[in-house]
């Protein structure tokens, strides 16, 4: 999206990551162009096939992810404000949730329609269309449109998948995964159209059910992953509920430096935020909270003091208590933080 907004709080990124972000934006603009073309072509030749109609609706839904990615790339560049002091790095998580909710809702509706077609034993038909004074069976045009609908998304999806891992973007990854598997929708749609031609009345509704199940699965998976992120769950691998290996490495490293401390880590968009606090007081002590907030002290559970200068010496877990100066210094640092009116120290990565 044109017009870069300067954000003084924007984290520094390696040049290769910035390059990947710009490349991802370029590919998403290309995706929007091709998807709009595909939706128009399929709309022109749409006939009586329910499987074709379901595939057409899926292509319309596929517009959501690239559009949300481009919008959130603009939003996350906005500087923090009084209303949004942490900035907008998590805009992508919200976009991920909204697109997943739309997929799940419409996938469920399409599944109902396909199932009802099977229950009612509907017998769809596909007519003909006059082209250059010749009668052409509309099914051939529909098959051609389905083949066309598969090629650009599959190519773009494979390119975007690698970039999504490099920039750790949930929306881009799900979009890429959906595009790369788009050939399955095309094959199911073609099978539905050919089933009508062969007189297999159930084939069209059955293929519509398969396509809608794919849409519903993508939506429910996205809802599960996006909800985990919005609820400050531990960072997950892209497209999976497994804990992100980078998060485990951060926890291990901080555990060595702050032996015995309470360590939490969460994702802020494509970035991590880690919190280190005394194990015995994971929340702000009541007297400190009262000093800052009087009678509403119960609402204040955490105050973080960022340490972005020197690190305390690492403390090895095998060391005996009291036997290492490094351990003493780490504990002193935690106590100093508490005396300064803070229940936590923050390490931002």
């Amino acid at each position: 999206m044109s017009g870069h907004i300067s954000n003084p709080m924007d984290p520094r990124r390696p040049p290769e990551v910035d390059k990947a972000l710009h490349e991802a934006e370029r590919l998403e603009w290309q995706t929007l162009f091709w998807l709009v073309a595909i939706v128009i072509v399929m709309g022109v030749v749409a006939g009586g096939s329910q499987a074709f109609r379901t595939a057409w609706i899926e292509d319309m839904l596929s517009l959501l992810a690239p559009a949300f990615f481009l919008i959130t790339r603009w939003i996350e560049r906005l500087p923090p404000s009084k209303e949004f002091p942490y900035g907008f790095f998590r805009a992508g998580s919200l976009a991920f949730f909204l697109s997943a909710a739309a997929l799940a809702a419409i996938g469920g509706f399409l599944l109902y329609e396909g199932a009802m077609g099977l229950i009612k034993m509907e017998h769809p038909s596909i007519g003909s269309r006059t082209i250059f004074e010749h009668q052409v069976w509309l099914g051939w045009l529909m098959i051609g449109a389905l083949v066309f609908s598969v090629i650009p998304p599959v190519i773009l999806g494979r390119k975007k998948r690698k970039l999504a891992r490099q920039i750790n973007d949930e929306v881009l990854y799900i979009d890429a995964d959906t595009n790369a598997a788009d050939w399955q929708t095309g094959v199911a749609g073609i099978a539905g159209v050919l089933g009508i031609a062969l007189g297999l009345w159930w084939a069209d509704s059955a293929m519509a059910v398969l396509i809608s199940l794919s849409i519903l699965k993508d939506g429910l998976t996205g809802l599960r992953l996006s909800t985990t992120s919005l609820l400050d769950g531990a960072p997950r691998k892209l497209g999976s509920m497994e804990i992100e290996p980078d998060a485990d490495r951060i926890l291990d490293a901080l555990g060595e430096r702050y032996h015995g401390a309470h360590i939490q880590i969460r994702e802020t968009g494509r970035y991590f935020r880690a919190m280190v606090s005394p194990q015995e007081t994971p929340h702000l002590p009541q007297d400190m909270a009262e000093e800052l907030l009087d009678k509403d002290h119960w609402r204040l559970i955490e105050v973080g003091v960022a340490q972005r200068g020197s690190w305390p010496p690492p403390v090895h877990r095998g060391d005996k208590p009291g036997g290492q100066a490094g351990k003493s210094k780490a504990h002193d640092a935690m106590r100093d933080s508490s005396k300064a009116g803070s229940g936590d120290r923050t390490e931002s990565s």
Side-chain angles (χ1 to χ4, degrees):
M1 200 170 270
S2 60
H4 178 79
I5 297 175
S6 177
N7 180 359
M9 299 297 289
D10 200 18
R12 290 188 299 272
R13 295 182 295 263
E16 59 270 20
V17 174
D18 278 328
K19 182 180 178 181
L21 281 167
H22 290 305
E23 177 65 12
E25 290 182 52
R26 187 181 69 83
L27 288 176
E28 289 295 49
W29 279 114
Q30 291 182 13
T31 301
L32 284 177
F33 169 80
W34 284 110
L35 284 176
V36 169
I38 287 167
V39 167
I40 291 173
V41 169
M42 293 182 71
V44 170
V45 302
S49 167
Q50 190 172 11
F52 182 90
R53 176 174 169 270
T54 305
W56 183 29
I57 292 174
E58 183 184 40
D59 286 324
M60 292 182 193
L61 291 175
S62 296
L63 290 165
L64 288 175
F68 276 142
F69 176 83
L70 293 168
I71 292 170
T72 55
R73 277 295 294 143
W74 180 80
I75 292 175
E76 69 182 10
R77 291 171 177 145
L78 296 174
S81 63
K82 183 178 180 180
E83 291 79 11
F84 297 93
Y86 289 96
F88 299 88
F89 299 131
R90 300 185 73 185
S93 298
L94 179 59
F96 186 24
F97 174 82
L98 293 175
S99 60
L103 283 174
I106 298 176
F109 172 73
L110 293 174
L111 177 61
Y112 168 79
E113 276 200 332
M116 290 304 295
L118 286 173
I119 293 171
K120 294 178 180 179
M121 295 188 293
E122 295 176 350
H123 290 61
S125 62
I126 299 176
S128 300
R129 185 169 293 183
T130 302
I131 300 178
F132 300 117
E133 299 182 355
H134 293 280
Q135 287 291 319
V136 178
W137 181 54
L138 194 56
W140 296 123
L141 300 179
M142 293 164 67
I143 290 173
L146 285 166
V147 171
F148 170 62
S149 74
V150 167
I151 297 171
V154 169
I155 295 172
L156 290 168
R158 293 181 184 278
K159 292 181 178 180
K160 287 186 286 187
R161 186 180 286 168
K162 181 180 178 181
L163 291 173
R165 293 194 182 99
Q166 190 174 353
I167 64 178
N168 197 65
D169 193 283
E170 298 168 319
V171 178
L172 184 65
Y173 183 83
I174 294 298
D175 182 33
D177 207 40
T178 302
N179 290 160
D182 203 47
W183 64 270
Q184 299 172 7
T185 298
V187 170
I190 291 171
V193 174
L194 292 176
I196 294 174
L198 296 173
L200 304 175
W201 65 266
W202 50 267
D204 185 54
S205 293
M207 292 303 104
V209 167
L210 284 179
I211 297 171
S212 60
L213 281 172
S214 174
I215 299 173
L216 182 61
K217 175 181 174 293
D218 289 341
L220 292 177
T221 300
L223 276 177
R224 188 181 179 195
L225 292 170
S226 60
T227 301
T228 299
S229 176
L230 291 173
L231 291 178
D232 285 339
R236 300 303 206 269
K237 292 172 63 176
L238 288 175
S240 170
M241 290 301 291
E242 294 181 32
I243 301 297
E244 169 66 51
D246 285 344
D248 283 332
R249 285 198 290 271
I250 292 171
L251 288 173
D252 290 341
L254 290 177
E256 289 295 331
R257 289 188 175 272
Y258 300 100
H259 186 48
H262 180 64
I263 303 170
Q264 298 167 293
I265 184 169
R266 62 182 174 88
E267 276 186 313
T268 301
R270 67 185 85 257
Y271 308 103
F272 292 128
R273 290 186 186 272
M275 179 68 72
V276 182
S277 60
Q279 184 69 44
E280 65 275 8
T281 55
H283 298 304
L284 197 66
Q286 181 175 332
D287 57 341
M288 293 184 186
E290 287 177 344
E291 182 179 342
L292 294 168
L293 209 55
D294 299 326
K295 64 179 182 179
D296 290 326
H297 62 84
W298 58 273
R299 299 182 63 192
L300 184 63
I301 62 173
E302 184 175 83
V303 174
V305 178
Q307 176 180 297
R308 296 192 176 96
S310 60
W311 284 77
V315 178
H316 301 289
R317 296 182 185 276
D319 295 337
K320 295 182 179 180
Q324 289 288 333
K327 183 175 180 179
S328 176
K329 288 181 180 179
H331 284 190
D332 287 343
M334 301 298 289
R335 284 196 296 269
D336 290 343
S337 172
S338 179
K339 290 177 182 178
S342 165
D344 307 90
R345 292 187 68 81
T346 304
E347 299 294 345
S348 297
S349 174

